[in-house]
Amino acid sequence: MAVDELDTRILRLLLEQPRTSVREYARLLGVARGTLQARLDRLERDGVITGTVPSLSPAALGHPVLAFVHIEVTQGHLDDVGDALAAVPEIMEAFSITGGGDLLTRVVARDNAHLEDVIQTLISLPGVVRTRTEVALRERVPHRVLPLVESIGRAAAK
């Protein structure tokens, strides 16, 4: 889907001021409220905007340990293991991958002992052959989308 300069400006405001009203966004952008609402509806319909939930911190919720766990799966069991991962609350995300392993998960834990318990849970899932864990020491670049949005906006303006 093509994202034009106005879409980019809208997305930037949504990212920078997520708790602002549609009326205020329209005022800040200098467009009619109906125009803004139509744009928002289209961006949601096209899958550009995928949600409006708050961003929560697992660390502030008592889970400061972050690890990435690679999971190797018995051939033919990828979907079963993927479904089982959804039942583990400490799994924040899971992706099918290429390279070393079949799945990559982002896992949070209260401490290293808790992380070990979570890994043992993963190892015990039917279809899991082995895991490899990498503990994150410090976040260097937080999850972000704004630089990508700005790059797309610059390209759309040309």
Side-chain angles (χ1 to χ4, degrees), residues 124-143:
S124 71
L125 295 175
V128 172
V129 175
R130 72 178 51 88
T131 65
R132 187 188 74 207
T133 303
E134 298 163 348
V135 175
L137 300 176
R138 182 181 303 164
E139 183 177 66
R140 298 295 180 164
V141 178
H143 178 78

Side-chain angles (χ1 to χ4, degrees), residues 88 116-125 128:
V88 180
E116 182 181 10
D117 293 341
V118 173
I119 293 166
Q120 291 302 319
T121 298
L122 299 179
I123 290 170
S124 71
L125 295 175
V128 172

Side-chain angles (χ1 to χ4, degrees), residues 59-140:
L61 291 169
H63 289 68
V65 176
L66 171 62
F68 298 94
V69 180
H70 298 260
I71 303 173
E72 187 177 322
V73 176
T74 303
Q75 194 166 5
H77 288 86
L78 189 61
D79 288 338
D80 297 333
V81 173
D83 291 343
L85 292 176
V88 180
E90 294 86 359
I91 301 286
M92 298 288 98
E93 297 176 289
F95 301 93
S96 299
I97 60 169
T98 62
D102 300 300
L103 293 164
L104 175 64
T105 62
R106 186 166 64 105
V107 177
V108 295
R110 292 184 302 272
D111 52 34
N112 287 345
H114 182 218
L115 176 60
E116 182 181 10
D117 293 341
V118 173
I119 293 166
Q120 291 302 319
T121 298
L122 299 179
I123 290 170
S124 71
L125 295 175
V128 172
V129 175
R130 72 178 51 88
T131 65
R132 187 188 74 207
T133 303
E134 298 163 348
V135 175
L137 300 176
R138 182 181 303 164
E139 183 177 66
R140 298 295 180 164

